[in-house]
Amino acid sequence: MGAYAEAYRRSLADPEGFWREAAEIIDWTAEPSRALDAGAAPFYRWFPGGELNTCANALDRHVAGGAGERTALIWDSAMVDPSRTPARRSFTYRELRDEVARVAGALAALGVGKGDRVVVYMPMVPEAVMTMLACARIGAVHSVVFGGFAAKELAARIEDARPTLVVAASCGLEPARVVEYQPILERALELSAHRPEHTLMLQRDACPADLTLPGYLDWDEVVPAAEPADPVPVASDDPLYILYTSGTTGKPKGVLRTAGGHAVALAWSMGAVYDVHAGDVFWTVSDVGWVVGHSYIVYGPLLVGATTVVYEGKPVGTPDAGAFWRIVQEHRVKTIFTAPTAIRAIKKADPEAAELGKYDTTTLAALYLAGERLDPETYHWASRVLGVPVTDHWWQTETGWPIAANPRGLEALPVKPGSATVPVPGWDVRVLDESGAPVPAGREGEIAIRLPLPPGALATLWGDDDRFVESYLSRHEGHYHTGDSGHLDADGHLFVMGRIDDVINVAGHRLSTGAIEAALATHPAVAECAVIGVPDPLKGQVPYGLIVLKAGAEAAGDDAAKLRAELVEAVRRDVGAVAAFREASIVPALPKTRSGKILRRTMRGIAGGRDEPVPPTIEDASVLEALTPILRNRL
Ligand code: COA
Ligand code: AMP
């Protein structure tokens, strides 16, 4: 039996022994009494009785172990104006620990204690990472909100998390514009029923915020003056963070991650999945606002003593398609992790990879891709031009770390383009039909995971155990419902093909069609609307709106163009630019079932070029017939 097969078998046959052994990577202030407590199933607890501090594991213990002078974090910005602001900063483990201790002290002085929430609304700056770690240091719970979200989305998160404090930066830097965060934050605080007393604001040169407004404090005054705070031990199942993700409704789900299982699973995955160890340079090109950023910009690499690269910029246009290769050369990157869309953007701008030839990328050993399916064409292109292993791997905000991957740190398995390779140890992956019965190898079905989920997966939804059970655990008894469909082949390789529900994935960003529909519905001319994800060669999917107008509303010529522009603006205002909503068709009616449910899945299939059967429950088949050419013509 190979190393992977043996580890996988053992993880399921003896989870207690497997994860106890894995837990030895972590420094515990109190050893857990056991690995798994199933007493309150389906609310499983990992490492009960254990106490630890995640920040101490990510920083202090490396300093104590003699690695204080090793580089912990390199920040590289392609966005700042280097004549005003340094575009590179780097921190050793000792420096990062000292900075984080001061930030932690500042948070504590502002009244943040164990269990209190801190909403972090910051772009890709080192202070965002410091704030996350500082929360962990004092047992507070961070909830980072991606900078591309609009005020309404931010408000929903503030209202649900009820933070003691908001930590923000004055702006984010996008290629075409400076995104001022203060007006978005102010609007969100107006919309939210909860308003924390203070906002700690990091001023950036490109656009300083107005700190005379009530409640604002200046990072540069408060943090340097703060007393450094020591790490506070927390219980294994105390919350580490809440990260909101899109469900099918407009209301985001607060995925709750607990401290002990998270630290063990992430540290274990760094070696087993990514083959990244102390001293290696690991670069995840994502954003701290997403789970990929939480797990593999911040916690994973630091927990194992690696060097993490924090990049503010894009794969192309900042300034060119050589940006990735410049960073590999400059910072001696061993492993890159990004989304396939970033590679497609580079391929589109530089199909022969001429930029690559300008840099010395010999340190690069592997490329990992996730966030959406790695299409075989992109896989082949990246493999050819880079000449290093290219690994698709599949996971979700909820799971926190990869469910399926080529576990190169354990054993490099044969690659099948289009497949995320095999289930990672700890994840008992099953493919089921609608009734919950397993489907034979090769047949597509719903991908589910047999409980218990391994350490590091979501513990529940913040403040809503019922919604957790209802959303994830109630579809098939004893299984976690991933929301994805796909198949396992005869060799046990997993192919993840797409969502079963109405969640869409735009440039690796997960969005709710419900939230976009709610934004469209605010337009006075809209009677009814539906949003579906349609294929896009660069972003994987983009949202597409089908709009039914109110009687008497005009929709021809200039009026239609004006309406479209207003709809685009409504989505940018309520959801954010990141939704990339640009396309809408005005249609006479939406196809529905007899019980009134809009047939989004059928429309999505047709727009994706598939032959979709007409559902037997359809209310009026002629509505779908009339729509079919419109959907097909998008292709
Ligand atoms: N803050 C504010 N606005 C943001 C933002 C942020 N953090 N991130 C994106 N936006 C805005 C962009 O400015 C853009 O606005 P515009 O419509 O005014 O131009 C819009 O959201 C869409 O942005 P983006 O998704 O970046 O698309 P793009 O067309 O500008 O670039 C790619 C396309 C492929 C280069 C880009 O999507 C990319 O770099 N993807 C990497 C994938 C990734 O990091 N995925 C994360 C999960 S692993
Ligand atoms: P998020 O929670 O934002 O990370 O999005 C998770 C969703 O993205 C998954 O449920 C999948 O639909 C999709 N996804 C992520 N990685 C992959 C992958 N490697 N292959 C296919 N789909 C993926």
Side-chain angles (χ1 to χ4, degrees):
M1 205 184 259
Y4 158 71
E6 172 53 23
Y8 189 69
R9 186 202 58 75
R10 193 168 162 236
S11 74
L12 300 190
D14 175 23
E16 184 67 31
F18 184 90
W19 289 112
R20 277 205 81 121
E21 202 176 296
E24 288 168 14
I25 321 179
I26 293 304
D27 281 358
W28 301 87
T29 44
E31 285 292 325
S33 53
R34 49 179 309 162
L36 178 63
D37 173 5
F43 295 89
Y44 295 90
R45 295 168 67 214
W46 284 99
F47 307 110
E51 284 186 5
L52 76 162
N53 183 281
T54 301
C55 177
N57 271 280
L59 300 176
D60 302 60
R61 68 164 167 158
H62 304 309
V63 179
E69 304 321 310
R70 183 188 300 153
T71 305
L73 187 154
I74 298 168
W75 179 70
D76 185 307
S77 176
M79 307 306 295
V80 295
D81 171 358
S83 68
R84 296 174 70 189
T85 311
R88 315 270 187 279
R89 290 166 74 191
S90 110
F91 301 83
T92 63
Y93 268 96
R94 185 186 309 284
E95 288 165 342
L96 193 59
R97 181 206 54 186
D98 292 348
E99 291 287 338
V100 167
R102 258 192 300 277
V103 179
L107 300 186
L110 290 170
V112 178
K114 201 168 174 175
D116 290 342
R117 276 82 54 214
V118 174
V119 162
V120 182
Y121 189 52
M122 297 175 110
M124 288 290 284
V125 288
E127 289 81 359
V129 178
M130 290 172 193
T131 305
M132 293 164 75
L133 291 165
C135 288
R137 195 169 186 85
I138 56 173
V141 182
H142 59 72
S143 187
V144 184
V145 181
F146 176 63
F149 280 128
K152 208 169 149 203
E153 294 286 325
L154 176 58
R157 287 153 174 80
I158 292 175
E159 195 161 292
D160 195 69
R162 286 171 286 108
T164 306
L165 178 75
V166 173
V167 183
S170 57
C171 59
L173 305 175
E174 286 296 298
R177 66 206 154 94
V178 171
V179 182
E180 291 181 41
Y181 281 18
Q182 194 176 31
I184 302 173
L185 178 59
E186 281 297 304
R187 177 81 189 118
L189 292 172
E190 261 168 49
L191 291 171
S192 162
H194 174 86
R195 190 182 180 113
E197 201 180 330
H198 291 119
T199 295
L200 183 60
M201 178 64 88
L202 176 76
Q203 295 283 41
R204 302 194 77 192
D205 291 339
C207 174
D210 177 0
L211 300 188
T212 63
L213 293 184
Y216 284 92
L217 298 165
D218 188 345
W219 174 289
D220 287 331
E221 284 174 17
V222 174
V223 173
E227 270 301 307
D230 284 333
V232 174
V234 303
S236 204
D237 52 5
D238 276 346
L240 174 71
Y241 71 75
I242 305 165
L243 179 59
Y244 289 87
T245 189
S246 302
T248 43
T249 67
K251 188 178 184 309
K253 292 173 172 161
V255 164
L256 185 77
R257 195 93 57 214
T258 50
H262 172 260
V264 172
L266 283 192
W268 184 82
S269 73
M270 287 305 296
V273 175
Y274 299 98
D275 194 20
V276 165
H277 309 274
D280 289 341
V281 182
F282 187 62
W283 177 28
T284 295
V285 201
S286 176
D287 190 287
V288 287
W290 306 113
V291 72
V292 172
H294 280 61
S295 293
Y296 296 112
I297 294 174
V298 184
Y299 289 108
L302 297 177
L303 281 167
V304 298
T307 299
T308 185
V309 180
V310 178
Y311 173 56
E312 184 180 39
K314 302 273 172 179
V316 293
T318 59
D320 54 37
F324 275 28
W325 323 133
R326 170 187 69 77
I327 288 181
V328 169
Q329 170 180 293
E330 210 168 305
H331 306 305
R332 307 189 58 73
V333 172
K334 176 183 174 190
T335 305
I336 303 182
F337 172 3
T338 189
T341 186
I343 302 299
R344 287 196 298 270
I346 296 172
K347 174 170 169 259
K348 188 171 168 215
D350 182 19
E352 290 313 314
E355 290 292 338
L356 183 62
K358 298 182 186 166
Y359 300 94
D360 174 1
T361 56
T362 46
T363 56
L364 188 68
L367 171 66
Y368 283 76
L369 297 163
E372 51 171 322
R373 178 167 178 260
L374 173 59
D375 55 288
E377 201 185 321
T378 306
Y379 165 79
H380 287 300
W381 186 82
S383 304
R384 178 171 64 79
V385 304
L386 290 173
V388 300
V390 174
T391 299
D392 182 12
H393 62 318
W394 168 64
W395 52 294
Q396 315 177 305
T397 307
E398 290 84 347
T399 67
W401 60 286
I403 314 167
N406 197 334
R408 295 190 166 276
L410 292 172
E411 180 185 356
L413 298 173
V415 175
K416 297 190 186 185
S419 164
T421 319
V422 289
V424 171
W427 300 96
D428 190 353
V429 174
R430 309 286 174 100
V431 181
L432 308 176
D433 68 15
E434 283 199 356
S435 74
V439 303
R443 178 131 13 116
E444 184 150 340
E446 301 178 7
I447 312 179
I449 297 155
R450 181 118 193 102
L451 299 179
L453 298 177
L458 80 170
T460 185
L461 293 177
W462 170 248
D464 204 343
D465 289 346
D466 291 345
R467 192 177 180 203
F468 166 64
V469 173
E470 184 204 322
S471 307
Y472 301 108
L473 307 181
S474 59
R475 193 168 169 96
H476 299 302
E477 179 68 32
H479 292 81
Y480 165 83
H481 173 62
T482 67
D484 284 306
S485 66
H487 68 271
L488 280 161
D489 74 4
D491 300 326
H493 284 233
L494 184 68
F495 290 74
V496 183
M497 303 310 288
R499 296 288 302 191
I500 298 162
D501 54 21
D502 297 324
V503 164
I504 58 172
N505 201 309
V506 179
H509 309 317
R510 174 164 155 188
L511 298 166
S512 138
T513 49
I516 302 174
E517 286 171 4
L520 297 175
T522 61
H523 193 285
V526 173
E528 218 182 359
C529 62
V531 170
I532 55 172
V534 295
D536 179 81
L538 176 64
K539 298 192 177 197
Q541 276 189 319
V542 287
Y544 172 53
L546 295 142
I547 314 288
V548 181
L549 293 181
K550 284 187 183 149
E554 287 295 328
D558 287 351
D559 284 336
K562 181 166 167 281
L563 175 71
R564 261 193 212 97
E566 287 166 358
L567 293 174
V568 167
E569 197 38 50
V571 175
R572 291 176 75 91
R573 182 199 62 214
D574 284 356
V575 183
V578 71
F581 179 83
R582 305 222 192 289
E583 278 187 72
S585 294
I586 291 148
V587 298
L590 295 172
K592 291 183 187 165
T593 62
R594 281 190 286 275
S595 60
K597 201 168 166 283
I598 297 173
L599 292 167
R600 292 186 186 76
R601 192 170 166 187
T602 308
M603 291 193 284
R604 191 171 74 202
I606 296 170
R610 290 192 291 279
D611 284 327
E612 283 290 324
V614 176
T617 52
I618 196 162
E619 187 191 25
D620 178 354
S622 70
V623 173
L624 186 63
E625 257 166 55
L627 221 57
T628 299
I630 300 176
L631 294 168
R632 289 252 193 264
N633 282 341
R634 270 211 66 269
L635 288 175

